[in-house]
Amino acid sequence: MTVWEQLEDPPSRYRPVPLWSWNERLDPDELIRQIEEMHHAGIGGFFMHARGGLQTPYMGDEWMEAVRLCIEKCQELGLEPWLYDENGWPSGFGDDRIPALGLEYQQKRLAVEYAPLDGRTEGTIALYMRTNQGFRLLGTEELDKADIRVYYEVNPCYIDTLSKQAVGAFIREIYDAYWERFGEAYGSVIRGVFTDEPQFARRQLPWSFELAAVFEQKCGYPLFAHLPALFIESEGCRKVRYDYWRCVTELFTEAYAKQISEWCGRRGWSATGHVVDEQTLMDQVTAVGDPLFFYEYLQIPGCDWLGRFVGDDPIVPKQVSSVARQLGKGQAITESFGCSGWNVSLQELRRIGEWQFVHGINLMCPHLQSYSLQGLRKRDYPPSIFYQQPWWPDYRLFNDYFARLSMLLGEGSRQAEVLLLHPARSAWVLQSGTDTSAIEPYHEAFAQLSRWLCQSLIGHDYGSEFIIERHGFVQEGRFWVGDAAYSVVIVPPSVTVGPRVSELLQQFVQKGGAVLAFEPFPRLIGGEPGPEACGWIAKARKPDWNREALVQHLFCIVPQSISLTDSSNVPLVSEGINVQELEIDGSTLFYLVNSDEISYGEVKVRIYRSGELSLIDLENGEVRPVVNWEAIDGGLQVTLPLHAAGSLLIKLNPAKKQHIRVPLKMADEPGNKAVIRLNEPWRITAASMNCLTLDTCRFRVENGKWSEPVPMFRVQDHLLQLGRPVKVELEYKFLSQVSPAANQPMFVIMENPERFQIMINGQPLESVAAGWWIDTSFKKVDIRGLIQKGVNRIGLTTTFLHSAEVSRALERAEQFESEGNKLTLETELESIYVLGDFSVQSASPWSFGERRAVFNEGPFFLAEQPAEIHANDLAGQGFPFFAGSVTLEQTVVVPQNGWNRALWQFRESPDAIVSRLRINGREIRAFVWEPYEGDITPYLQPGANRIELELTGSCRNVLGPHHHVKGEVYKVGPDSFKNKPGWTDKDLAPDTPIYVQRYAFVRFGLSEVPQIVLEMPGAL
């Protein structure tokens, strides 16, 4: 079958494949249920990912049986099972088993001490005396003469990733164990293995017991004599740094990526995943050296994109896609959406995904799907993009959309004539100890050049010097890197290039190739002065430092393919507007993406070649001819809408004749339009059960003194600090203005109710679950008839379990992230929730903030649910903690005649994840992203019409974070729910208190009154 025949329902290999977080005791029936949920939602497979909270022993028999069960269920349903190689992340430590093998297996990092020395000798590598000629290496017994001591520090929680021995032990511990268990029976079913965030230092300098010998062998001089050059500006330091980082990068890539890739390749599996710290040259140096070299060895290279943002530059996805194109890798994957928060919408998910896809990614790995939300799991870099979300039944729209896009981009051949040299090696020689400040201007210049190329819709790849050295050549006037040929090479402001790249650039210009170079030009070859660069620099074109000059030079060499203008013929230039051009089955596709949050209206798209145009509708797979296009000089032009966070996929079939035929345009006379605004208020005709989150309580330990009301995280932290099992009592309090009828359903939602003694208003309550809500761990305990008018108190008593093993795990978590990422606690005290058919009102006024935040000081109380409501914001009208769907209804009277077409319009995107429209009992469609309008002519009748809007929200207002100082947060991590900034709040000072008493919600409802537009005869 062709891709066009499969476009309606693409196969599993192109469908999103999420990280499935195995973070609880694994139950076979629940595993099967969740896989069936994924299958119904159009997901193609999953990575079985051990994560914090896991209670099934990792890699034990029960774990392996769970893996087997899931593989077989995938076979039954046609999904693709993938393994994940670690308990938590970063990959490599084998659930602590590899570092436990001893010092030579553990991660080591270089450090320096300056005189006066404190006399310590532990970890000493070398001592040095400062002289007029530089630094003289001393003997280890000459500590009293030393001005500098270089030594190593040990991280006992991670491995030496420069060591083939250490990584080999990791492979034997994890990879071999999986193969031995499943290789014979399921080796052809399992797609491969995900490896996550391997690294060698992160903002420090790596050391390995193997490094010095390898360095001298590769570089021809001893490293010990020159270690101070890594920390101090001195004569010859650039050469030493160049050689050190080259050696370190080669060791890391060959020990880790190459060994794992070759292991997988021999078994027919694919190695996939991503490295850490991909965003900037400053971070790349000390984390991985050169990420593109690492990608070479992954069968499916990947990247990570966290938060509810798109990038200011395309570096992260383009690094991956460049290597994939150059080395003929069919797919490039992104782990996306982690930290984007519980209220991220399908439109925002699409925006984030398409921003990466237009830059060359073509496979989606959503982060993440949580097996359980119990305890800390609900705060594990949310959201869980899974059955817990109220909008989950509509998630198939997203998965089908990206499956179609993945298939077309994966099967097509991306076009790019420009190669932008990646300046990783200049960053190496500018790294001074842990100081990266000298790198920043070079990083920004590189990013700026890439931004300018994107703004100008010029396809380009990045060139890693490692990959060019191994796969680069010049042939017939083109600069080749593997399978990709380039007409132009751009050298960004740089300090150094390697000898092989300098040699190839010289060959290229001698054979008529075009090199564009920008000051400062690289004057060092391999980190040391040399005349080799002078030849090609002299012949290079040297544009002024602005986008217009760059484009002028490029379009003299590379013909322009596509351009965009607004309705006034003003060129559209934006970092958020990008295009990818690719060839597929003899046709050309132009994938045009607007990652901005504004609509550009009707845009003139000019394509500088002839042919027949079609539009590919990624929502349903239809390919529709474009009728209203016109000829222009050298090509054709079509006017199309470019919506906010939207895209266009234009197909150009080659013209059968050389001339362009211009179809006749039907010019209707403009007519009148009538607008019907939908009046307020709306009737509530259906609603999910409402919720009141109780996130503060009083507590006492061992019958001691009661505390004041405090946030739940403070209760948990206090009990963990005690470091021993204790009896604890909790009391939650809330107000009610109503006394619900005895038969009215009402529940308190708790985790593990069987572990507690429960009291409601002084009456004991049996700790028996009556089903679940949101997540299978959120148990419903029936409290109908027990809520009274006035003050209500819910008391919980339990034993807080805490073992010495957990205490040690918490201590290790302070040392290195791997320990925290796999942390499992024995007792977790959490918020509880009151659930029922009521309204939640506040005694204090509401206010509004950025990012559609809604603020309130509380306190909250239960009240009767209103029959009517204004739709602008339901959160402030009784639904602040709501997670579900509300159906609103009103009657609209339409004229008996005088109109021939009716259009529904949300004038702004609703404050809901899904907005489902029904007219006169017939469903029109579910709106999940732009355009928020639709033709309702067949459904509307003259006279009275019943309009129903079903608005579906998210888990944000029930799960928070409710008390973050920023309000609504677009980069959310576990620390976002506490009081001390974590890495997701690195823009705040470390001592900034982030917990505030007031509550922050997000709007839920309609941001603008919707309308019906009636078009009269003759209207366009």
Side-chain angles (χ1 to χ4, degrees):
M1 294 179 67
T2 68
V3 293
W4 309 109
E5 294 170 320
Q6 299 180 84
L7 199 54
E8 181 180 353
D9 185 19
S12 293
R13 73 180 302 259
Y14 301 106
R15 291 185 168 275
V17 50
L19 294 177
W20 186 14
S21 173
W22 286 11
N23 59 4
E24 247 287 3
R25 173 69 63 180
L26 302 176
D27 175 75
D29 291 340
E30 180 63 11
L31 288 168
I32 294 301
R33 186 190 75 82
Q34 293 193 13
I35 293 173
E36 289 173 344
E37 289 272 7
M38 293 186 229
H39 179 56
H40 292 317
I43 285 166
F46 46 80
F47 297 99
M48 291 170 272
H49 175 15
R51 207 165 170 102
L54 178 66
Q55 295 182 3
T56 298
Y58 178 62
M59 299 299 287
D61 288 341
E62 189 180 351
W63 171 273
M64 291 297 192
E65 181 59 21
V67 173
R68 182 197 63 77
L69 182 72
C70 294
I71 293 171
E72 292 184 350
K73 188 64 177 178
C74 283
Q75 285 183 292
E76 174 191 333
L77 298 178
L79 304 185
E80 296 191 333
W82 287 80
L83 304 172
Y84 180 100
D85 65 7
E86 191 53 90
N87 184 9
W89 73 96
S91 293
F93 65 100
D95 194 28
D96 295 331
R97 299 169 196 176
I98 311 309
L101 295 175
L103 180 61
E104 60 189 294
Y105 290 84
Q106 295 169 359
Q107 184 184 47
K108 290 165 283 289
R109 296 170 292 211
L110 282 176
V112 63
E113 180 187 12
Y114 300 99
L117 306 183
D118 64 9
R120 289 178 298 164
T121 59
E122 183 179 3
T124 297
I125 297 171
L127 303 170
Y128 302 88
M129 176 187 291
R130 191 184 298 270
T131 71
N132 292 333
Q133 289 75 41
F135 297 95
R136 180 167 68 84
L137 180 64
L138 301 175
T140 55
E141 73 284 354
E142 298 181 277
L143 185 62
D144 59 328
K145 299 179 182 178
D147 295 304
I148 294 177
R149 180 174 79 100
V150 178
Y151 62 100
Y152 65 84
E153 298 174 326
V154 178
N155 174 11
C157 302
Y158 195 56
I159 66 164
D160 179 0
T161 53
L162 307 185
S163 166
K164 287 185 177 180
Q165 173 183 251
V167 178
F170 169 59
I171 292 171
R172 288 190 296 275
E173 186 69 36
I174 304 299
Y175 286 71
D176 285 351
Y178 276 129
W179 183 260
E180 289 167 7
R181 194 69 174 248
F182 304 117
E184 183 175 348
Y186 306 107
S188 62
V189 180
I190 297 170
R191 275 294 310 276
V193 189
F194 193 107
T195 196
D196 202 0
E197 298 195 357
Q199 56 197 260
F200 50 57
R202 292 192 84 176
R203 301 171 191 88
Q204 294 179 290
L205 281 64
W207 183 252
S208 172
F209 293 156
E210 303 174 19
L211 178 57
V214 174
F215 182 95
E216 187 162 3
Q217 178 186 3
K218 286 178 175 287
C219 304
Y221 63 94
L223 177 58
F224 286 131
H226 301 281
L227 283 174
L230 302 178
F231 299 91
I232 300 169
E233 293 294 312
S234 56
E235 186 176 353
C237 68
R238 305 271 180 262
K239 169 66 173 170
V240 176
R241 294 173 186 177
Y242 183 96
D243 290 341
Y244 167 81
W245 288 112
R246 179 182 178 112
C247 187
V248 162
T249 304
E250 288 177 341
L251 282 174
F252 168 64
T253 303
E254 291 171 3
Y256 198 99
K258 186 177 181 183
Q259 283 197 109
I260 286 176
S261 170
E262 290 178 346
W263 187 98
C264 288
R266 288 193 297 269
R267 291 158 178 81
W269 289 0
S270 291
T272 191
H274 67 92
V275 295
V276 78
D277 284 346
E278 305 137 302
Q279 293 89 345
T280 70
L281 296 176
M282 294 78 78
D283 287 331
Q284 290 173 8
V285 173
T286 57
V288 294
D290 180 346
L292 288 81
F293 186 32
F294 191 97
Y295 302 149
E296 174 177 350
Y297 289 101
L298 298 181
Q299 280 84 0
I300 303 178
C303 63
D304 191 11
W305 193 258
L306 304 176
R308 205 184 314 176
F309 309 96
V310 298
D312 294 329
D313 60 63
I315 287 176
V316 171
K318 191 168 280 293
Q319 288 176 148
V320 180
S321 64
S322 297
V323 177
R325 176 172 181 255
Q326 291 159 356
L327 300 185
K329 301 175 186 291
Q331 292 182 300
I333 195 169
T334 172
E335 176 194 330
S336 285
F337 314 137
C339 305
S340 56
W342 282 109
N343 198 50
V344 64
S345 68
L346 293 175
Q347 169 151 320
E348 288 166 318
L349 294 178
R350 174 184 164 186
R351 174 183 179 234
I352 295 165
E354 291 207 270
W355 172 76
Q356 296 176 86
F357 273 51
V358 77
H359 291 304
I361 298 298
N362 57 26
L363 184 60
M364 178 64 69
C365 170
H367 176 297
L368 84 174
Q369 296 188 173
S370 292
Y371 178 90
S372 171
L373 294 185
Q374 181 178 318
L376 55 79
R377 301 157 186 83
K378 67 179 69 67
R379 296 178 290 277
D380 183 8
Y381 302 100
S384 172
I385 306 176
F386 204 14
Y387 76 92
Q388 298 97 346
Q389 289 279 17
W391 47 260
W392 172 253
D394 292 293
Y395 188 45
R396 176 144 198 149
L397 294 169
F398 176 90
N399 291 316
D400 286 349
Y401 186 97
F402 273 92
R404 297 180 184 112
L405 183 55
S406 292
M407 183 171 68
L408 292 173
L409 300 187
E411 293 297 324
S413 174
R414 187 163 56 84
Q415 305 298 296
E417 289 287 333
V418 176
L419 181 71
L420 176 59
L421 198 64
H422 193 287
R425 299 191 179 190
S426 291
W428 294 353
V429 302
L430 294 169
Q431 182 79 32
S432 182
T434 59
D435 182 2
T436 64
S437 57
I439 302 172
E440 294 178 17
Y442 293 89
H443 166 79
E444 183 49 44
F446 171 62
Q448 184 63 70
L449 283 169
S450 196
R451 282 193 290 265
W452 283 341
L453 292 168
C454 290
Q455 291 167 8
S456 307
L457 309 183
I458 296 173
H460 63 289
D461 291 328
Y462 299 158
S464 161
E465 293 204 42
F466 276 111
I467 293 177
I468 294 172
E469 288 168 350
R470 292 164 50 77
H471 304 282
F473 59 95
V474 175
Q475 184 174 296
E476 296 179 353
R478 306 194 81 193
F479 196 102
W480 287 78
V481 184
D483 297 337
Y486 304 96
S487 300
V488 183
V489 178
I490 299 177
V491 181
S494 306
V495 179
T496 188
V497 295
R500 177 58 179 160
V501 168
S502 183
E503 177 187 335
L504 287 173
L505 290 172
Q506 184 64 29
Q507 291 180 24
F508 187 50
V509 296
Q510 287 176 344
K511 294 185 178 181
V515 173
L516 274 60
F518 293 89
E519 292 186 299
F521 307 125
R523 298 299 184 183
L524 303 180
I525 303 297
E528 58 185 343
E532 295 92 332
C534 296
W536 63 262
I537 290 175
K539 294 185 177 181
R541 306 181 184 211
K542 303 174 180 65
D544 292 338
W545 185 252
N546 59 70
R547 186 186 70 86
E548 292 75 13
L550 172 64
V551 170
Q552 183 179 2
H553 278 269
L554 286 174
F555 284 158
C556 291
I557 307 161
V558 180
Q560 187 174 12
S561 293
I562 186 172
S563 66
L564 305 177
T565 61
D566 64 15
S567 57
S568 302
N569 290 322
V570 176
L572 289 181
V573 177
S574 167
E575 292 173 11
I577 299 178
N578 292 279
V579 71
Q580 181 185 147
E581 179 183 343
L582 57 154
E583 303 292 329
I584 183 170
D585 287 346
S587 299
T588 302
L589 298 185
F590 293 94
Y591 175 41
L592 178 62
V593 173
N594 174 20
S595 300
D596 287 333
E597 296 181 273
I598 59 171
S599 173
Y600 288 91
E602 296 291 316
V603 170
K604 294 181 180 179
V605 182
R606 294 174 179 172
I607 296 173
Y608 297 98
R609 65 185 74 172
S610 61
E612 298 175 349
L613 287 181
S614 302
L615 279 179
I616 301 172
D617 189 338
L618 292 172
E619 291 191 35
N620 55 31
E622 293 180 0
V623 182
R624 296 189 293 270
V626 173
V627 177
N628 292 328
W629 53 270
E630 58 184 322
I632 59 169
D633 185 21
L636 48 86
Q637 176 177 283
V638 61
T639 300
L640 297 167
L642 191 56
H643 298 289
S647 65
L648 298 167
L649 191 50
I650 303 169
K651 182 183 179 187
L652 177 70
N653 289 330
K656 297 177 181 178
K657 298 180 180 180
Q658 293 300 312
H659 67 277
I660 296 177
R661 179 180 61 85
V662 182
L664 293 175
K665 296 170 64 175
M666 302 300 295
D668 295 327
E669 290 296 322
N672 297 322
K673 296 181 180 181
V675 175
I676 302 174
R677 297 267 174 96
L678 275 71
N679 299 319
E680 298 280 5
W682 295 71
R683 298 181 295 276
I684 298 178
T685 59
S688 307
M689 278 192 166
N690 205 353
C691 168
L692 171 63
T693 299
L694 302 177
D695 61 356
T696 62
C697 75
R698 298 197 309 156
F699 76 100
R700 67 176 180 172
V701 177
E702 302 289 8
N703 298 316
K705 183 179 177 182
W706 283 97
S707 74
E708 292 297 314
V710 295
M712 291 308 303
F713 77 85
R714 295 198 190 279
V715 181
Q716 180 80 12
D717 288 350
H718 177 81
L719 297 174
L720 288 174
Q721 289 167 11
L722 294 178
R724 57 186 172 84
V726 294
K727 175 187 173 184
V728 61
E729 296 171 79
L730 313 174
E731 184 187 77
Y732 302 82
K733 184 176 76 171
F734 66 96
L735 299 172
S736 177
Q737 284 188 348
V738 295
S739 181
N743 62 349
Q744 182 176 338
M746 189 165 288
F747 305 91
V748 62
I749 307 298
M750 298 175 53
E751 300 170 20
N752 300 305
E754 69 281 0
R755 299 181 184 178
F756 294 87
Q757 297 174 8
I758 309 174
M759 301 284 287
I760 303 280
N761 293 325
Q763 299 184 47
L765 182 67
E766 191 175 1
S767 304
V768 176
W772 56 270
W773 174 70
I774 291 184
D775 182 86
T776 56
S777 70
F778 287 23
K779 304 299 186 183
K780 295 163 65 176
V781 179
D782 197 334
I783 59 170
R784 72 183 68 200
L786 298 178
I787 300 302
Q788 61 192 19
K789 195 170 185 178
V791 176
N792 290 265
R793 290 181 170 86
I794 301 177
L796 305 179
T797 303
T798 191
T799 298
F800 187 88
L801 301 175
H802 187 89
S803 65
E805 181 181 351
V806 170
S807 291
R808 288 192 294 271
L810 289 167
E811 290 174 2
R812 292 195 302 270
E814 295 295 320
Q815 298 180 49
F816 189 61
E817 64 169 329
S818 62
E819 299 299 314
N821 296 338
K822 68 184 190 73
L823 184 65
T824 300
L825 302 176
E826 291 164 287
T827 304
E828 297 177 86
L829 301 178
E830 293 288 318
S831 301
I832 63 173
Y833 315 87
V834 181
L835 191 69
D837 293 324
F838 47 69
S839 168
V840 178
Q841 300 294 337
S842 173
S844 58
W846 295 86
S847 61
F848 298 93
E850 296 179 350
R851 298 172 174 173
R852 298 181 172 179
V854 186
F855 301 117
N856 195 278
E857 299 288 339
F860 301 98
F861 55 89
L862 305 188
E864 294 287 354
Q865 193 172 83
E868 292 188 333
I869 201 166
H870 293 275
N872 61 329
D873 177 44
L874 279 64
Q877 299 178 75
F879 296 88
F881 296 98
F882 184 75
S885 298
V886 174
T887 300
L888 307 178
E889 179 185 305
Q890 67 173 262
T891 300
V892 171
V893 177
V894 175
Q896 293 289 332
N897 48 47
W899 57 276
N900 61 1
R901 185 168 179 261
L903 187 69
W904 174 274
Q905 290 181 341
F906 290 102
R907 292 186 294 151
E908 285 192 15
S909 57
D911 291 315
I913 309 301
V914 181
S915 304
R916 182 168 273 103
L917 173 65
R918 289 188 286 268
I919 298 180
N920 299 320
R922 299 171 64 188
E923 181 165 320
I924 311 304
R925 58 171 289 194
F927 296 90
V928 296
W929 48 53
E930 293 281 1
Y932 286 99
E933 63 180 34
D935 190 336
I936 57 173
T937 308
Y939 308 95
L940 209 61
Q941 62 191 20
N945 291 264
R946 181 161 55 95
I947 309 296
E948 292 177 281
L949 277 180
E950 182 185 75
L951 305 178
T952 301
S954 68
C955 289
R956 162 62 175 84
N957 282 349
V958 68
L959 297 180
H962 291 121
H963 300 280
H964 199 288
V965 67
K966 295 179 184 176
E968 171 65 340
V969 189
Y970 276 14
K971 200 162 191 177
V972 185
D975 292 316
S976 303
F977 298 80
K978 301 181 83 172
N979 195 37
K980 183 179 179 182
W983 68 266
T984 55
D985 281 312
K986 60 185 179 182
D987 57 321
L988 299 177
D991 57 350
T992 303
I994 63 171
Y995 181 91
V996 292
Q997 292 285 351
R998 62 97 181 98
Y999 285 81
F1001 306 98
V1002 293
R1003 295 170 64 100
F1004 176 53
L1006 301 177
S1007 49
E1008 284 284 351
V1009 175
Q1011 63 187 22
I1012 296 172
V1013 179
L1014 301 177
E1015 295 184 354
M1016 308 308 177
L1020 284 174

